[in-house]
Amino acid sequence: MLVVEQDDVASGTTSASTRLIHGGLRYLEHGELGLVRESLREREALLTIAPHLVEPLRLYLPIYRGARRPRWQIRLGMAIYDLLSWGKSLPRHRMLSRDALLERLPGLAAEGLVGGACYFDAQVAFPERLVVENLLDAAAHGAAVMTHTKATRIVVEAGRVTGVEWREARGATGRVSARCVINAAGPWLDRVAASVTGAPPPVALVDGTKGSHLVVAPFPGAPTSAAVYAEAASDGRPFFVVPWNGLYLIGTTDLRYAGDPGEAAIDDAELAYLVSETERLFPCCGGIAERVLYTQAGVRALPRTPNAAPGAITRRHVIQAHREARGVYSIVGGKLTTYRSLAAQVLARLARDGFAPASTIAVGRERGDERLPGAIAGRERDALQAELIGAFGAPCAHRLVWTYGRIAERLLSDAAARPELALPAAPGSALLRVELVHALESEWAVSLIDLLQRRVMLGLGADFGLDAARAAARALVELGVWDAARAADELAAYRRHAEAHRAAAVLSAATRADAI
Ligand SMILES: Cc1cc2nc3c(=O)[nH]c(=O)nc-3n(C[C@H](O)[C@H](O)[C@H](O)COP(=O)(O)OP(=O)(O)OC[C@H]3O[C@@H](n4cnc5c(N)ncnc54)[C@H](O)[C@@H]3O)c2cc1C
């Protein structure tokens, strides 16, 4: 198997998601009981196979007088949600009185509040690492991975796929033979499908909707260890305020979007909407706009549903066989939460169509329950953390264990073999040199953006990782991995990336010179 990714792994929609592993309470409104059940089962599985990345998350759902979803409806929805998650390890929901909710969330707007609910879902703080670990697992089972490599053409001869042509970012081109091609290009899916040669252009399969988030510094009255799932007062859409990575993730929006997915960015109206809804929910917050550190926007690749309101389009995935090009399949829609069940369904489809042995279905199911390479929990995790404290110090150890899990053992052995890698990237930096070398050599990272944003995960901090980026560039020059010109180019690209995500006011105040 070969995986080609035009940019970096998880650089698309995945890194712009709300980072929840959830059943999708909202989908109950649209009668999607099957999707909710599947998602809840997957939530449970991910808590088991990736306990270092996926953690239980408590959520509060406040109910206000005159809301679109009254208390009885919320109570019914919660009961069905619990029912559909039979066999779960997370606690059941509880309905709360107004006073009980305010006791738990003193910063919440009290006017018109009639009560609320408390329930559990899960959070994957870094879905980027979830993707990396799935690829590490795939590679351990024989897959090859090429990042910064675009599939430029799906080659079809006499109605059958025969291969894929690709082009690397640095210009090299090539072709790989294939009996079967899975187009999993998310919101780019129709563009990739259009590159099928020898077949008529396909009908568009995807409806794109843009969803944006604000990343906000902690604010007065913010919930500390739980998320809030509220109904927006202006339009009744549900939105989240989620504690994340020491900051808050606030979103999302849902707007039809037909542009280049790589260019999606929050617009002024979305920013104003998310700010005003959060300020309304937490009146003592002291202003949200000033606390916005950066923003994220991504495009949902939903199954094409003309004339439907974006919020009403199903979040279910569809596996579309291209009849005019036997062996080509496009994956339309879906959620992060259900990636495993989607993969198993793709395998089953390939086996049914004769592209994989029937035994693949059983293997897919068994492997689906295998833990990811970094999976570690309980005493084993404590022991690893103690070892990491001994090698790298306490603050660093905590971050390493929750970013890499068991993969941190590899960092320990690499640093022991090459003591110069045990050092921080720069004096006082939280980033270790060994992380950089590991990501470049073993996790398909190429650029400074890949390293900071999708491997070591320090790029998602309050300063968008600008300090760590400078330290990383300098360390890679000192280690002889990059020359000074390459490091300067990488840093300049990182700054441009930060500028595209950071609120202009914050950027001008906080950025410093590019010198390394
Ligand atoms: C705002 C928002 C919030 C969300 N929140 C949640 C949530 O909380 N929980 C949840 O479960 N789901 C959530 N989702 C849905 C979830 O993010 C997506 O279902 C999931 O990330 C899709 O992953 P993907 O790999 O299919 O797409 P992507 O992550 O977009 O990956 C597709 C990849 O294909 C690559 N590509 C494109 N063209 C080519 C080419 N020609 N050659 C090679 N590579 C190519 C792209 O570079 C990209 O990296 C959310 C989505 C959005 C937009």
Side-chain angles (χ1 to χ4, degrees), residues 73-402:
Q73 197 177 335
I74 301 288
R75 185 191 285 271
L76 180 65
M78 288 286 161
I80 297 173
Y81 206 61
D82 274 343
L83 212 64
L84 290 174
S85 53
W86 73 82
K88 69 178 172 182
S89 58
L90 299 177
R92 291 169 61 81
H93 86 276
R94 284 180 61 195
M95 296 303 289
L96 299 172
S97 68
R98 175 183 190 277
D99 288 352
L101 185 57
L102 285 174
E103 201 177 302
R104 288 163 177 81
L105 294 177
L108 200 64
E111 203 185 320
L113 185 70
V114 293
C118 171
Y119 73 106
F120 281 81
D121 258 320
Q123 180 179 37
V124 56
F126 302 133
E128 298 82 356
R129 293 278 334 159
L130 192 66
V131 176
V132 169
E133 288 207 20
N134 272 281
L135 285 171
L136 286 171
D137 201 25
H141 289 96
V145 179
M146 291 167 74
T147 59
H148 298 271
T149 303
K150 180 173 181 162
T152 47
R153 208 158 75 103
I154 298 175
V155 185
V156 175
E157 294 168 46
R160 282 175 176 270
V161 68
T162 55
V164 171
E165 292 177 356
W166 50 260
R167 188 180 61 243
E168 277 187 350
R170 274 177 277 175
T173 56
R175 176 180 172 157
V176 62
S177 302
R179 286 181 62 222
C180 171
V181 172
I182 312 295
N183 173 11
W188 288 265
L189 180 135
D190 282 324
R191 288 171 167 77
V192 173
S195 78
V196 173
T197 54
V203 178
L205 297 170
V206 164
D207 262 341
T209 78
K210 182 174 58 152
S212 299
H213 289 96
L214 310 178
V215 177
V216 171
F219 55 89
T224 46
S225 56
V228 173
Y229 183 27
E231 183 178 290
S234 58
D235 62 1
R237 284 199 63 250
F239 78 105
F240 292 95
V241 177
V242 187
W244 166 70
N245 201 28
L247 307 170
Y248 286 86
L249 193 58
I250 299 175
T252 174
T253 52
D254 201 356
L255 303 163
R256 283 198 182 265
Y257 183 84
D260 179 348
E263 301 288 314
I266 192 166
D267 62 34
D268 289 350
E270 290 175 278
L271 190 91
Y273 168 84
L274 293 173
V275 164
S276 73
E277 289 297 342
T278 313
E279 289 179 347
R280 202 186 322 237
L281 199 59
F282 297 99
C284 59
C285 66
I288 288 296
E290 306 75 61
R291 288 184 166 80
V292 177
L293 299 166
Y294 58 92
T295 62
Q296 296 178 330
V299 180
R300 302 175 185 86
L302 305 178
R304 193 168 140 71
T305 320
N307 306 324
I313 302 176
T314 184
R315 265 49 175 175
R316 178 169 281 293
H317 52 249
V318 177
I319 302 164
Q320 179 78 41
H322 291 252
R323 302 212 182 285
E324 72 289 358
R326 190 167 147 70
V328 179
Y329 297 83
S330 284
I331 294 171
V332 191
K335 299 168 63 188
L336 199 57
T337 305
T338 47
Y339 82 85
R340 278 170 12 114
S341 53
L342 163 61
Q345 287 159 30
V346 171
L347 278 180
R349 179 67 192 261
L350 295 189
R352 213 173 60 222
D353 292 355
F355 290 109
S359 58
T360 313
I361 304 173
V363 171
R365 261 193 232 112
E366 282 159 24
R367 291 252 165 90
D369 291 334
E370 266 179 29
R371 305 176 99 208
L372 288 179
I376 193 165
R379 285 210 193 113
E380 272 192 307
R381 181 170 58 210
D382 296 345
L384 175 59
Q385 188 155 338
E387 237 187 300
L388 290 164
I389 291 173
F392 306 123
C396 202
H398 183 264
R399 183 177 72 75
L400 295 180
V401 91
W402 287 103

